[in-house]
Amino acid sequence: MTANLRGIHHSAYRCRDAEETRAFYEDLLGLPLAAALAEEREPGSGRRNPFVHIFFQLGDGNYIAFFDAPGTATPDSFTPVHGFDRHVAFEAGDEATLLDWQGKLDAAGVPCFGPIDHGFVKSVYFSDPNGLPLEITTRVADHDAIMATEAGHARAVVAEWTAKKQAAAA
């Protein structure tokens, strides 16, 4: 099967405040603000819900985006979640760059832990001002070989996991 999806154009999340989010992603992380679309109505439904949709450009030409829509935000919208529920992983070119990022985040007062060696990547973890879990990761030298090996038995691992989970639930 050929994947005809070329990549992720953008991932979008809710934010508390467009300016606070801009300062974090543009000033701290260095991602340029690429677009800011202010609208009075939701696309599709036409429902009145004033919002701004902001986009930050990544080095590969893709984007991370946010909606500041105060009329539909609730305090629960910004409750920190477990990284298993949702997180965004940015990629650094090498381990030295990863460690530089960790130092920059620490110096800015952004709690950052790691690096964690996952075998195929090394990562540091932190959160943005909206409670969104973030990761900066870098590939280890054997990354591609490790992923190729994993691809060879991925379906079997999923099938085994599914059977184990079903047995535990029974």
mmCIF file of all heavy atoms in Angstrom, residues 15 17-33 54 56 64 66 88 90 101 104-106 108-112 125-136:
data_model
loop_
_atom_site.group_PDB
_atom_site.id
_atom_site.type_symbol
_atom_site.label_atom_id
_atom_site.label_comp_id
_atom_site.label_asym_id
_atom_site.label_seq_id
_atom_site.Cartn_x
_atom_site.Cartn_y
_atom_site.Cartn_z
ATOM 1 N N CYS A 15 -5.444 27.531 22.631
ATOM 2 C CA CYS A 15 -4.534 28.271 23.512
ATOM 3 C C CYS A 15 -5.324 29.228 24.384
ATOM 4 O O CYS A 15 -6.429 29.637 24.042
ATOM 5 C CB CYS A 15 -3.446 28.999 22.725
ATOM 6 S SG CYS A 15 -3.963 30.418 21.740
ATOM 7 N N ASP A 17 -4.202 32.264 25.343
ATOM 8 C CA ASP A 17 -3.971 33.650 24.938
ATOM 9 C C ASP A 17 -3.019 33.657 23.744
ATOM 10 O O ASP A 17 -1.912 33.106 23.830
ATOM 11 C CB ASP A 17 -3.361 34.421 26.120
ATOM 12 C CG ASP A 17 -3.083 35.852 25.776
ATOM 13 O OD1 ASP A 17 -4.030 36.658 25.793
ATOM 14 O OD2 ASP A 17 -1.926 36.170 25.456
ATOM 15 N N ALA A 18 -3.440 34.272 22.664
ATOM 16 C CA ALA A 18 -2.636 34.270 21.433
ATOM 17 C C ALA A 18 -1.261 34.910 21.646
ATOM 18 O O ALA A 18 -0.257 34.398 21.160
ATOM 19 C CB ALA A 18 -3.390 34.965 20.302
ATOM 20 N N GLU A 19 -1.205 36.008 22.368
ATOM 21 C CA GLU A 19 0.084 36.690 22.562
ATOM 22 C C GLU A 19 1.019 35.870 23.444
ATOM 23 O O GLU A 19 2.207 35.761 23.168
ATOM 24 C CB GLU A 19 -0.108 38.095 23.137
ATOM 25 C CG GLU A 19 1.188 38.812 23.476
ATOM 26 C CD GLU A 19 2.209 38.903 22.337
ATOM 27 O OE1 GLU A 19 1.831 38.866 21.152
ATOM 28 O OE2 GLU A 19 3.429 38.999 22.639
ATOM 29 N N GLU A 20 0.506 35.294 24.516
ATOM 30 C CA GLU A 20 1.323 34.440 25.379
ATOM 31 C C GLU A 20 1.882 33.265 24.565
ATOM 32 O O GLU A 20 3.057 32.904 24.684
ATOM 33 C CB GLU A 20 0.470 33.925 26.533
ATOM 34 C CG GLU A 20 1.174 32.937 27.448
ATOM 35 C CD GLU A 20 0.228 32.354 28.478
ATOM 36 O OE1 GLU A 20 -0.856 31.852 28.096
ATOM 37 O OE2 GLU A 20 0.588 32.398 29.668
ATOM 38 N N THR A 21 1.044 32.674 23.740
ATOM 39 C CA THR A 21 1.454 31.541 22.914
ATOM 40 C C THR A 21 2.452 31.993 21.858
ATOM 41 O O THR A 21 3.446 31.314 21.602
ATOM 42 C CB THR A 21 0.212 30.879 22.293
ATOM 43 O OG1 THR A 21 -0.643 30.434 23.367
ATOM 44 C CG2 THR A 21 0.572 29.698 21.419
ATOM 45 N N ARG A 22 2.224 33.164 21.252
ATOM 46 C CA ARG A 22 3.176 33.700 20.270
ATOM 47 C C ARG A 22 4.544 33.904 20.903
ATOM 48 O O ARG A 22 5.570 33.516 20.351
ATOM 49 C CB ARG A 22 2.669 35.025 19.684
ATOM 50 C CG ARG A 22 3.582 35.534 18.541
ATOM 51 C CD ARG A 22 3.737 37.042 18.525
ATOM 52 N NE ARG A 22 4.185 37.631 19.757
ATOM 53 C CZ ARG A 22 5.469 37.665 20.185
ATOM 54 N NH1 ARG A 22 6.439 37.108 19.489
ATOM 55 N NH2 ARG A 22 5.774 38.240 21.327
ATOM 56 N N ALA A 23 4.577 34.500 22.078
ATOM 57 C CA ALA A 23 5.854 34.759 22.747
ATOM 58 C C ALA A 23 6.604 33.455 23.017
ATOM 59 O O ALA A 23 7.825 33.376 22.830
ATOM 60 C CB ALA A 23 5.627 35.529 24.045
ATOM 61 N N PHE A 24 5.886 32.408 23.434
ATOM 62 C CA PHE A 24 6.532 31.126 23.724
ATOM 63 C C PHE A 24 7.089 30.488 22.453
ATOM 64 O O PHE A 24 8.264 30.118 22.397
ATOM 65 C CB PHE A 24 5.532 30.180 24.401
ATOM 66 C CG PHE A 24 6.132 28.859 24.806
ATOM 67 C CD1 PHE A 24 6.797 28.734 26.020
ATOM 68 C CD2 PHE A 24 6.047 27.744 23.991
ATOM 69 C CE1 PHE A 24 7.364 27.518 26.407
ATOM 70 C CE2 PHE A 24 6.599 26.525 24.368
ATOM 71 C CZ PHE A 24 7.258 26.413 25.577
ATOM 72 N N TYR A 25 6.260 30.369 21.440
ATOM 73 C CA TYR A 25 6.688 29.654 20.234
ATOM 74 C C TYR A 25 7.618 30.473 19.347
ATOM 75 O O TYR A 25 8.545 29.930 18.757
ATOM 76 C CB TYR A 25 5.467 29.151 19.445
ATOM 77 C CG TYR A 25 4.866 27.942 20.105
ATOM 78 C CD1 TYR A 25 3.881 28.066 21.074
ATOM 79 C CD2 TYR A 25 5.326 26.664 19.804
ATOM 80 C CE1 TYR A 25 3.359 26.956 21.717
ATOM 81 C CE2 TYR A 25 4.810 25.551 20.444
ATOM 82 C CZ TYR A 25 3.828 25.704 21.400
ATOM 83 O OH TYR A 25 3.329 24.597 22.035
ATOM 84 N N GLU A 26 7.391 31.774 19.259
ATOM 85 C CA GLU A 26 8.243 32.594 18.393
ATOM 86 C C GLU A 26 9.487 33.085 19.120
ATOM 87 O O GLU A 26 10.605 32.889 18.647
ATOM 88 C CB GLU A 26 7.445 33.774 17.835
ATOM 89 C CG GLU A 26 8.218 34.553 16.770
ATOM 90 C CD GLU A 26 7.364 35.581 16.070
ATOM 91 O OE1 GLU A 26 6.558 36.275 16.734
ATOM 92 O OE2 GLU A 26 7.518 35.702 14.844
ATOM 93 N N ASP A 27 9.311 33.710 20.284
ATOM 94 C CA ASP A 27 10.450 34.298 20.980
ATOM 95 C C ASP A 27 11.338 33.255 21.652
ATOM 96 O O ASP A 27 12.560 33.362 21.591
ATOM 97 C CB ASP A 27 9.978 35.316 22.017
ATOM 98 C CG ASP A 27 9.236 36.499 21.406
ATOM 99 O OD1 ASP A 27 9.306 36.682 20.168
ATOM 100 O OD2 ASP A 27 8.578 37.231 22.169
ATOM 101 N N LEU A 28 10.751 32.246 22.298
ATOM 102 C CA LEU A 28 11.551 31.241 22.990
ATOM 103 C C LEU A 28 11.985 30.109 22.062
ATOM 104 O O LEU A 28 13.170 29.797 21.985
ATOM 105 C CB LEU A 28 10.784 30.675 24.190
ATOM 106 C CG LEU A 28 11.524 29.614 25.008
ATOM 107 C CD1 LEU A 28 12.841 30.163 25.578
ATOM 108 C CD2 LEU A 28 10.645 29.084 26.125
ATOM 109 N N LEU A 29 11.031 29.504 21.349
ATOM 110 C CA LEU A 29 11.389 28.364 20.499
ATOM 111 C C LEU A 29 11.900 28.772 19.117
ATOM 112 O O LEU A 29 12.438 27.935 18.390
ATOM 113 C CB LEU A 29 10.199 27.408 20.353
ATOM 114 C CG LEU A 29 9.722 26.725 21.638
ATOM 115 C CD1 LEU A 29 8.646 25.697 21.313
ATOM 116 C CD2 LEU A 29 10.868 26.077 22.395
ATOM 117 N N GLY A 30 11.731 30.030 18.736
ATOM 118 C CA GLY A 30 12.269 30.507 17.463
ATOM 119 C C GLY A 30 11.467 30.102 16.235
ATOM 120 O O GLY A 30 11.988 30.141 15.125
ATOM 121 N N LEU A 31 10.202 29.728 16.428
ATOM 122 C CA LEU A 31 9.361 29.366 15.285
ATOM 123 C C LEU A 31 8.646 30.625 14.803
ATOM 124 O O LEU A 31 7.879 31.228 15.550
ATOM 125 C CB LEU A 31 8.337 28.305 15.682
ATOM 126 C CG LEU A 31 8.895 26.994 16.221
ATOM 127 C CD1 LEU A 31 7.753 26.062 16.637
ATOM 128 C CD2 LEU A 31 9.798 26.326 15.204
ATOM 129 N N PRO A 32 8.874 31.036 13.568
ATOM 130 C CA PRO A 32 8.265 32.289 13.108
ATOM 131 C C PRO A 32 6.746 32.199 13.014
ATOM 132 O O PRO A 32 6.193 31.190 12.576
ATOM 133 C CB PRO A 32 8.875 32.504 11.719
ATOM 134 C CG PRO A 32 9.525 31.241 11.334
ATOM 135 C CD PRO A 32 9.738 30.426 12.570
ATOM 136 N N LEU A 33 6.102 33.280 13.448
ATOM 137 C CA LEU A 33 4.663 33.404 13.283
ATOM 138 C C LEU A 33 4.403 33.557 11.794
ATOM 139 O O LEU A 33 4.827 34.526 11.171
ATOM 140 C CB LEU A 33 4.136 34.613 14.061
ATOM 141 C CG LEU A 33 2.643 34.894 13.966
ATOM 142 C CD1 LEU A 33 1.833 33.750 14.570
ATOM 143 C CD2 LEU A 33 2.314 36.210 14.669
ATOM 144 N N ILE A 54 -3.639 30.951 14.834
ATOM 145 C CA ILE A 54 -2.249 31.357 14.583
ATOM 146 C C ILE A 54 -1.402 30.145 14.208
ATOM 147 O O ILE A 54 -1.606 29.048 14.720
ATOM 148 C CB ILE A 54 -1.652 32.117 15.786
ATOM 149 C CG1 ILE A 54 -1.762 31.306 17.086
ATOM 150 C CG2 ILE A 54 -2.344 33.477 15.937
ATOM 151 C CD1 ILE A 54 -1.153 31.983 18.310
ATOM 152 N N PHE A 56 2.648 28.703 13.412
ATOM 153 C CA PHE A 56 4.090 28.872 13.553
ATOM 154 C C PHE A 56 4.766 27.874 12.628
ATOM 155 O O PHE A 56 4.428 26.690 12.641
ATOM 156 C CB PHE A 56 4.521 28.645 15.007
ATOM 157 C CG PHE A 56 3.854 29.606 15.944
ATOM 158 C CD1 PHE A 56 2.665 29.261 16.568
ATOM 159 C CD2 PHE A 56 4.393 30.861 16.168
ATOM 160 C CE1 PHE A 56 2.021 30.152 17.410
ATOM 161 C CE2 PHE A 56 3.745 31.763 17.014
ATOM 162 C CZ PHE A 56 2.563 31.409 17.634
ATOM 163 N N ILE A 64 2.764 24.272 13.439
ATOM 164 C CA ILE A 64 1.983 23.988 14.634
ATOM 165 C C ILE A 64 1.089 25.214 14.785
ATOM 166 O O ILE A 64 1.533 26.362 14.593
ATOM 167 C CB ILE A 64 2.849 23.713 15.885
ATOM 168 C CG1 ILE A 64 1.951 23.322 17.053
ATOM 169 C CG2 ILE A 64 3.780 24.864 16.221
ATOM 170 C CD1 ILE A 64 2.707 22.701 18.233
ATOM 171 N N PHE A 66 -2.625 27.179 16.628
ATOM 172 C CA PHE A 66 -3.420 27.327 17.843
ATOM 173 C C PHE A 66 -4.650 28.167 17.563
ATOM 174 O O PHE A 66 -4.638 29.053 16.711
ATOM 175 C CB PHE A 66 -2.584 28.005 18.951
ATOM 176 C CG PHE A 66 -1.430 27.160 19.374
ATOM 177 C CD1 PHE A 66 -0.224 27.247 18.723
ATOM 178 C CD2 PHE A 66 -1.577 26.248 20.410
ATOM 179 C CE1 PHE A 66 0.846 26.429 19.089
ATOM 180 C CE2 PHE A 66 -0.518 25.429 20.779
ATOM 181 C CZ PHE A 66 0.690 25.526 20.117
ATOM 182 N N VAL A 88 3.393 16.866 21.430
ATOM 183 C CA VAL A 88 4.023 17.194 20.155
ATOM 184 C C VAL A 88 5.519 17.007 20.335
ATOM 185 O O VAL A 88 6.094 17.507 21.311
ATOM 186 C CB VAL A 88 3.719 18.653 19.734
ATOM 187 C CG1 VAL A 88 4.471 19.022 18.471
ATOM 188 C CG2 VAL A 88 2.215 18.852 19.545
ATOM 189 N N PHE A 90 9.055 17.791 18.636
ATOM 190 C CA PHE A 90 9.856 18.499 17.638
ATOM 191 C C PHE A 90 11.171 17.753 17.481
ATOM 192 O O PHE A 90 11.645 17.122 18.424
ATOM 193 C CB PHE A 90 10.149 19.931 18.088
ATOM 194 C CG PHE A 90 8.918 20.770 18.285
ATOM 195 C CD1 PHE A 90 8.522 21.153 19.550
ATOM 196 C CD2 PHE A 90 8.157 21.172 17.206
ATOM 197 C CE1 PHE A 90 7.398 21.935 19.748
ATOM 198 C CE2 PHE A 90 7.023 21.950 17.383
ATOM 199 C CZ PHE A 90 6.648 22.327 18.658
ATOM 200 N N TRP A 101 18.943 23.054 23.552
ATOM 201 C CA TRP A 101 17.542 23.396 23.792
ATOM 202 C C TRP A 101 17.185 23.211 25.258
ATOM 203 O O TRP A 101 16.493 24.047 25.847
ATOM 204 C CB TRP A 101 16.611 22.566 22.908
ATOM 205 C CG TRP A 101 16.396 23.188 21.576
ATOM 206 C CD1 TRP A 101 16.834 22.716 20.366
ATOM 207 C CD2 TRP A 101 15.719 24.416 21.307
ATOM 208 N NE1 TRP A 101 16.454 23.582 19.376
ATOM 209 C CE2 TRP A 101 15.774 24.627 19.922
ATOM 210 C CE3 TRP A 101 15.069 25.344 22.099
ATOM 211 C CZ2 TRP A 101 15.188 25.748 19.316
ATOM 212 C CZ3 TRP A 101 14.498 26.459 21.509
ATOM 213 C CH2 TRP A 101 14.564 26.650 20.130
ATOM 214 N N LYS A 104 18.490 26.147 27.128
ATOM 215 C CA LYS A 104 17.730 27.363 26.844
ATOM 216 C C LYS A 104 16.396 27.355 27.596
ATOM 217 O O LYS A 104 15.987 28.367 28.152
ATOM 218 C CB LYS A 104 17.489 27.481 25.337
ATOM 219 C CG LYS A 104 16.768 28.737 24.926
ATOM 220 C CD LYS A 104 16.664 28.850 23.411
ATOM 221 C CE LYS A 104 16.023 30.179 23.050
ATOM 222 N NZ LYS A 104 16.016 30.428 21.617
ATOM 223 N N LEU A 105 15.729 26.205 27.599
ATOM 224 C CA LEU A 105 14.455 26.095 28.312
ATOM 225 C C LEU A 105 14.658 26.276 29.814
ATOM 226 O O LEU A 105 13.916 27.016 30.470
ATOM 227 C CB LEU A 105 13.795 24.760 28.004
ATOM 228 C CG LEU A 105 13.300 24.610 26.574
ATOM 229 C CD1 LEU A 105 13.081 23.139 26.230
ATOM 230 C CD2 LEU A 105 12.035 25.429 26.348
ATOM 231 N N ASP A 106 15.668 25.618 30.362
ATOM 232 C CA ASP A 106 15.968 25.761 31.790
ATOM 233 C C ASP A 106 16.261 27.219 32.136
ATOM 234 O O ASP A 106 15.758 27.738 33.137
ATOM 235 C CB ASP A 106 17.151 24.878 32.188
ATOM 236 C CG ASP A 106 16.804 23.393 32.249
ATOM 237 O OD1 ASP A 106 15.602 23.047 32.366
ATOM 238 O OD2 ASP A 106 17.746 22.577 32.173
ATOM 239 N N ALA A 108 15.179 29.823 30.688
ATOM 240 C CA ALA A 108 13.953 30.608 30.571
ATOM 241 C C ALA A 108 12.954 30.271 31.680
ATOM 242 O O ALA A 108 11.854 30.826 31.712
ATOM 243 C CB ALA A 108 13.311 30.375 29.208
ATOM 244 N N GLY A 109 13.319 29.346 32.587
ATOM 245 C CA GLY A 109 12.429 28.970 33.679
ATOM 246 C C GLY A 109 11.337 27.994 33.275
ATOM 247 O O GLY A 109 10.345 27.851 33.975
ATOM 248 N N VAL A 110 11.521 27.320 32.140
ATOM 249 C CA VAL A 110 10.555 26.315 31.686
ATOM 250 C C VAL A 110 11.040 24.962 32.192
ATOM 251 O O VAL A 110 12.091 24.486 31.759
ATOM 252 C CB VAL A 110 10.446 26.303 30.144
ATOM 253 C CG1 VAL A 110 9.507 25.198 29.676
ATOM 254 C CG2 VAL A 110 9.984 27.664 29.623
ATOM 255 N N PRO A 111 10.306 24.345 33.129
ATOM 256 C CA PRO A 111 10.744 23.038 33.627
ATOM 257 C C PRO A 111 10.899 22.042 32.481
ATOM 258 O O PRO A 111 10.005 21.880 31.651
ATOM 259 C CB PRO A 111 9.618 22.620 34.574
ATOM 260 C CG PRO A 111 8.953 23.901 34.964
ATOM 261 C CD PRO A 111 9.064 24.792 33.759
ATOM 262 N N CYS A 112 12.064 21.410 32.439
ATOM 263 C CA CYS A 112 12.416 20.518 31.337
ATOM 264 C C CYS A 112 13.144 19.321 31.928
ATOM 265 O O CYS A 112 14.095 19.484 32.679
ATOM 266 C CB CYS A 112 13.312 21.286 30.364
ATOM 267 S SG CYS A 112 13.816 20.374 28.910
ATOM 268 N N TYR A 125 11.617 16.762 27.726
ATOM 269 C CA TYR A 125 10.180 17.006 27.825
ATOM 270 C C TYR A 125 9.893 18.271 28.627
ATOM 271 O O TYR A 125 10.574 18.556 29.612
ATOM 272 C CB TYR A 125 9.501 15.816 28.513
ATOM 273 C CG TYR A 125 9.640 14.541 27.725
ATOM 274 C CD1 TYR A 125 10.737 13.696 27.917
ATOM 275 C CD2 TYR A 125 8.698 14.192 26.777
ATOM 276 C CE1 TYR A 125 10.874 12.527 27.185
ATOM 277 C CE2 TYR A 125 8.827 13.025 26.032
ATOM 278 C CZ TYR A 125 9.913 12.198 26.248
ATOM 279 O OH TYR A 125 10.046 11.047 25.505
ATOM 280 N N PHE A 126 8.847 18.991 28.218
ATOM 281 C CA PHE A 126 8.420 20.222 28.883
ATOM 282 C C PHE A 126 6.993 20.519 28.428
ATOM 283 O O PHE A 126 6.426 19.749 27.642
ATOM 284 C CB PHE A 126 9.374 21.382 28.558
ATOM 285 C CG PHE A 126 9.545 21.656 27.081
ATOM 286 C CD1 PHE A 126 8.929 22.752 26.485
ATOM 287 C CD2 PHE A 126 10.328 20.830 26.275
ATOM 288 C CE1 PHE A 126 9.080 23.008 25.119
ATOM 289 C CE2 PHE A 126 10.496 21.086 24.920
ATOM 290 C CZ PHE A 126 9.863 22.174 24.347
ATOM 291 N N SER A 127 6.397 21.602 28.910
ATOM 292 C CA SER A 127 5.043 21.986 28.504
ATOM 293 C C SER A 127 5.018 23.440 28.073
ATOM 294 O O SER A 127 5.813 24.249 28.547
ATOM 295 C CB SER A 127 4.057 21.798 29.663
ATOM 296 O OG SER A 127 3.901 20.434 29.960
ATOM 297 N N ASP A 128 4.069 23.749 27.184
ATOM 298 C CA ASP A 128 3.895 25.140 26.775
ATOM 299 C C ASP A 128 2.980 25.850 27.777
ATOM 300 O O ASP A 128 2.484 25.220 28.722
ATOM 301 C CB ASP A 128 3.397 25.220 25.322
ATOM 302 C CG ASP A 128 1.898 25.048 25.141
ATOM 303 O OD1 ASP A 128 1.185 24.712 26.098
ATOM 304 O OD2 ASP A 128 1.440 25.256 24.003
ATOM 305 N N PRO A 129 2.733 27.156 27.619
ATOM 306 C CA PRO A 129 1.910 27.883 28.587
ATOM 307 C C PRO A 129 0.460 27.410 28.647
ATOM 308 O O PRO A 129 -0.263 27.752 29.584
ATOM 309 C CB PRO A 129 1.962 29.333 28.101
ATOM 310 C CG PRO A 129 3.101 29.415 27.176
ATOM 311 C CD PRO A 129 3.320 28.042 26.619
ATOM 312 N N ASN A 130 0.025 26.626 27.666
ATOM 313 C CA ASN A 130 -1.349 26.135 27.620
ATOM 314 C C ASN A 130 -1.497 24.757 28.251
ATOM 315 O O ASN A 130 -2.585 24.191 28.254
ATOM 316 C CB ASN A 130 -1.821 26.079 26.167
ATOM 317 C CG ASN A 130 -1.629 27.398 25.474
ATOM 318 O OD1 ASN A 130 -2.221 28.392 25.866
ATOM 319 N ND2 ASN A 130 -0.755 27.433 24.477
ATOM 320 N N GLY A 131 -0.402 24.194 28.753
ATOM 321 C CA GLY A 131 -0.425 22.860 29.339
ATOM 322 C C GLY A 131 -0.184 21.754 28.328
ATOM 323 O O GLY A 131 -0.272 20.577 28.670
ATOM 324 N N LEU A 132 0.122 22.110 27.077
ATOM 325 C CA LEU A 132 0.376 21.113 26.043
ATOM 326 C C LEU A 132 1.748 20.487 26.259
ATOM 327 O O LEU A 132 2.761 21.191 26.250
ATOM 328 C CB LEU A 132 0.311 21.753 24.653
ATOM 329 C CG LEU A 132 0.593 20.846 23.462
ATOM 330 C CD1 LEU A 132 -0.463 19.745 23.344
ATOM 331 C CD2 LEU A 132 0.661 21.664 22.177
ATOM 332 N N PRO A 133 1.818 19.170 26.458
ATOM 333 C CA PRO A 133 3.117 18.516 26.617
ATOM 334 C C PRO A 133 3.912 18.567 25.311
ATOM 335 O O PRO A 133 3.375 18.283 24.234
ATOM 336 C CB PRO A 133 2.760 17.068 26.974
ATOM 337 C CG PRO A 133 1.346 17.103 27.447
ATOM 338 C CD PRO A 133 0.711 18.220 26.676
ATOM 339 N N LEU A 134 5.173 18.948 25.434
ATOM 340 C CA LEU A 134 6.072 19.051 24.283
ATOM 341 C C LEU A 134 7.310 18.209 24.515
ATOM 342 O O LEU A 134 7.697 17.945 25.658
ATOM 343 C CB LEU A 134 6.473 20.505 24.037
ATOM 344 C CG LEU A 134 5.338 21.486 23.761
ATOM 345 C CD1 LEU A 134 5.876 22.910 23.679
ATOM 346 C CD2 LEU A 134 4.594 21.124 22.489
ATOM 347 N N GLU A 135 7.940 17.836 23.426
ATOM 348 C CA GLU A 135 9.163 17.028 23.446
ATOM 349 C C GLU A 135 10.078 17.577 22.365
ATOM 350 O O GLU A 135 9.622 17.990 21.300
ATOM 351 C CB GLU A 135 8.772 15.588 23.138
ATOM 352 C CG GLU A 135 9.896 14.611 22.922
ATOM 353 C CD GLU A 135 9.387 13.214 22.545
ATOM 354 O OE1 GLU A 135 8.164 12.981 22.511
ATOM 355 O OE2 GLU A 135 10.240 12.362 22.277
ATOM 356 N N ILE A 136 11.353 17.600 22.661
ATOM 357 C CA ILE A 136 12.356 17.798 21.607
ATOM 358 C C ILE A 136 13.156 16.521 21.582
ATOM 359 O O ILE A 136 13.613 16.028 22.615
ATOM 360 C CB ILE A 136 13.252 19.025 21.852
ATOM 361 C CG1 ILE A 136 12.404 20.308 21.863
ATOM 362 C CG2 ILE A 136 14.340 19.107 20.767
ATOM 363 C CD1 ILE A 136 13.181 21.575 22.166
#
